[in-house]
Amino acid sequence: MPNQQRPGRITVPAIRAMKRREKIVCLTAYTAPVAALLDPHVDVLLVGDSVGMVVHGLPTPTAVTLEMMILHGQAVVRGSSRALVVVDLPFGSFEASPEQAFASSVRVMQETGCHAVKIEAGEALAPTIAFLVQRGVPVMGHVGLRPQAVHVDGGFKAKGRTAGERTRALAEARAADEAGCFAIVVEGVAADLADEITRTVAAPTIGIGASSVCDGQVLVSDDMLGLFERTPKFVRRYADIRSAIGGAAAQYAADVRAGTFPGETEVYRFKPEG
């Protein structure tokens, strides 16, 4: 059984109330051990569909399935006790109809014990978001650069550099806000547009590649920890886990080949009885 919401968990109303009062700290998590390490320091743990690229080596998030999100959501809920856990609804699990989105949301929340879902929220999805919220599903929106639209956009491209893109992103944010999102991720938009969105909507904004004026920030933890060779422009590396893992593996390999591992302290010896 997945862990249910425990006393002391940060709640959806608490996150919504943080707008303009204190910054919301959010990081992605996909496993129980990482969730446990991040949990004391963040307000929100996001089980993003970025798991497809980060953990499973997929080229885009569009191949991620609902079952994958549930599996990783279960692990993150088990590994955490304080942060609000939000799970992405993957591509194809919510677009067909509000009823499909509700069925997917119910599965995710019941089978993981998470506290909210996230939807990449174009204007067309506003009625679906309202449908979910009215039925007790807390929804985090996602506007600007939407990774699930990567094939339509022809790549992961920042938004808000043209008048048309600015108008569209602002309309998306307003629609998500009016539909009842308790928070909205604003990704990959020009800083001044992120500022305008933050001033315009009632829900707190959580920026990624946006602006420090947003009500909070989110990063993919593996990027922030330096697990990959390439670092996106909007990421600040806080560690170099890639080098640490590579160095540890190299030392282990050298010890095995030299016959120095395992050593005396790392093997079992027979102890006679009596």
Side-chain angles (χ1 to χ4, degrees), residues 28-272:
T28 64
Y30 316 113
T31 66
V34 170
L37 290 170
L38 302 179
D39 188 55
H41 308 287
V42 303
D43 305 303
V44 178
L45 286 170
L46 173 62
V47 188
D49 61 359
S50 50
V51 68
M53 302 173 72
V54 173
V55 176
H56 296 277
L58 298 172
T60 74
T62 56
V64 173
T65 65
L66 196 63
E67 287 70 26
M68 289 167 65
M69 296 309 305
I70 289 171
L71 181 67
H72 290 282
Q74 289 170 340
V76 171
V77 171
R78 290 190 198 106
S80 61
S81 60
R82 174 183 176 275
L84 184 86
V85 178
V86 181
V87 176
D88 259 335
L89 291 188
F91 179 71
S93 69
F94 62 91
E95 297 92 338
S97 67
E99 290 77 13
Q100 182 203 28
F102 183 68
S104 296
S105 299
V106 168
R107 272 202 67 191
V108 167
M109 295 188 73
Q110 287 185 339
E111 295 182 34
T112 70
C114 77
H115 317 113
V117 299
K118 182 167 77 65
I119 288 181
E120 292 193 9
E123 280 187 271
L125 270 297
T128 294
I129 293 170
F131 187 90
L132 296 180
V133 173
Q134 290 163 8
R135 285 157 179 79
V137 178
V139 178
M140 177 180 284
H142 185 142
V143 304
L145 191 165
R146 292 187 286 120
Q148 291 178 10
V150 61
H151 296 302
V152 172
D153 292 340
F156 298 99
K157 298 179 180 179
K159 302 293 183 181
R161 294 176 176 175
T162 68
E165 287 181 352
R166 295 177 67 88
T167 299
R168 190 176 308 113
L170 189 56
E172 288 175 351
R174 284 173 170 156
D177 187 48
E178 291 169 3
C181 285
F182 73 91
I184 301 172
V185 171
V186 180
E187 179 171 1
V189 304
D192 60 329
L193 174 58
D195 297 350
E196 184 176 1
I197 290 172
T198 300
R199 292 193 306 270
T200 299
V201 299
T205 57
I206 301 176
I208 176 169
S211 165
S212 61
V213 173
C214 290
D215 299 298
Q217 297 292 324
V218 60
L219 284 176
V220 172
S221 296
D222 301 68
D223 286 337
M224 181 269 288
L225 294 170
L227 193 60
F228 299 111
E229 185 175 2
R230 177 182 172 274
T231 302
K233 171 183 172 62
F234 56 84
V235 173
R236 181 180 297 176
R237 280 195 178 190
Y238 287 87
D240 187 9
I241 299 300
R242 178 185 176 87
S243 293
I245 293 174
Q251 185 60 59
Y252 167 72
D255 291 348
V256 170
R257 291 180 179 124
T260 59
F261 176 81
E264 183 60 32
T265 61
E266 294 141 346
V267 297
Y268 297 100
R269 297 296 183 191
F270 173 69
K271 295 181 180 179

Side-chain angles (χ1 to χ4, degrees), residues 2-21:
N3 292 343
Q4 301 303 312
Q5 184 161 320
R6 306 172 187 169
R9 282 274 190 188
I10 295 172
T11 64
V12 164
I15 294 297
R16 189 173 182 89
M18 291 173 73
K19 186 175 180 73
R20 297 193 180 94
R21 291 174 48 190

